[in-house]
Amino acid sequence: MGTADREIEITAVPVVDEHLVVIHEVNQLRKLERVRVDFVTNVSHEIRTLLTGALNDSNTDRRFVEKILQQSSALSQLVTHLLDLSRLESGMAALTLELCELGSFRSPLQNLFGPVFDDAKLTFDWEIPDDLPPVMVDKRLLDQTFANLIDNAIN
């Protein structure tokens, strides 16, 4: 790849009487974003096509296709998490901090991993004391961290 093929992002931050300039090559990140968009578009189109065709079939077939659509959404979220990890590793992630209760992460994780737990005959135990104060976190990144920990535990 020649220098003309590279896409870079430049950030300049004033520091006292100087400027700190950070230069990131973002080609790989852009490629991953295009792959994610293409993946989501293709899977969504195929699943909707199946769902439309299943409307004339039995309720069992419709539930099966709806389950596929639900799981493809979960897979899309995992791809998004991978992109987020790439951004973190490259230093391009911006944190969005907000107060939240740690217990609020349980239900989305249960929904995401529920089918995996069922298939593997695993249980999901979540024990957080009720008296913990809210914490200031980037909810999206903490959710991703919990999802990664659960995924690692399953594997």
Side-chain angles (χ1 to χ4, degrees):
M1 171 187 323
T3 56
D5 298 332
R6 292 186 176 163
E7 184 177 347
I8 60 171
E9 178 177 276
I10 301 173
T11 305
V13 179
V15 178
V16 187
D17 292 332
E18 306 270 333
H19 282 81
L20 173 64
V21 178
V22 179
I23 301 171
H24 288 283
E25 184 176 336
V26 293
N27 292 56
Q28 187 65 19
L29 186 58
R30 297 287 187 254
K31 182 178 177 181
L32 286 172
E33 287 174 352
R34 283 190 300 274
V35 167
R36 183 190 70 82
V37 168
D38 290 347
F39 169 78
V40 171
T41 300
N42 291 337
V43 168
S44 295
H45 171 73
E46 292 301 323
I47 299 301
R48 285 190 182 92
T49 300
L50 283 173
L51 187 57
T52 302
L55 290 176
N56 298 325
D57 294 341
S58 71
N59 285 336
T60 303
D61 291 342
R62 180 176 175 83
R63 284 194 310 267
F64 176 73
V65 173
E66 286 172 344
K67 188 71 166 180
I68 292 172
L69 183 58
Q70 183 182 49
Q71 292 304 308
S72 68
S73 175
L75 186 56
S76 172
Q77 287 178 342
L78 291 175
V79 172
T80 299
H81 292 323
L82 289 173
L83 287 170
D84 289 341
L85 284 174
S86 294
R87 285 186 192 98
L88 283 172
E89 288 175 354
S90 70
M92 296 175 57
L95 297 177
T96 305
L97 299 177
E98 58 186 292
L99 276 175
C100 74
E101 302 283 339
L102 288 177
S104 68
F105 291 93
R106 184 188 191 287
S107 183
L109 291 168
Q110 181 69 45
N111 291 338
L112 178 63
F113 287 100
V116 177
F117 296 147
D118 293 344
D119 290 346
K121 296 185 179 19
L122 297 172
T123 59
F124 180 56
D125 292 326
W126 180 274
E127 295 181 27
I128 293 183
D130 294 333
D131 59 348
L132 280 182
V135 291
M136 184 70 75
V137 297
D138 184 311
K139 287 178 80 169
R140 184 179 50 84
L141 292 177
L142 189 55
D143 182 56
Q144 179 178 339
T145 301
F146 284 141
N148 290 342
L149 288 171
I150 292 169
D151 187 54
N152 288 345
I154 290 168
N155 292 327

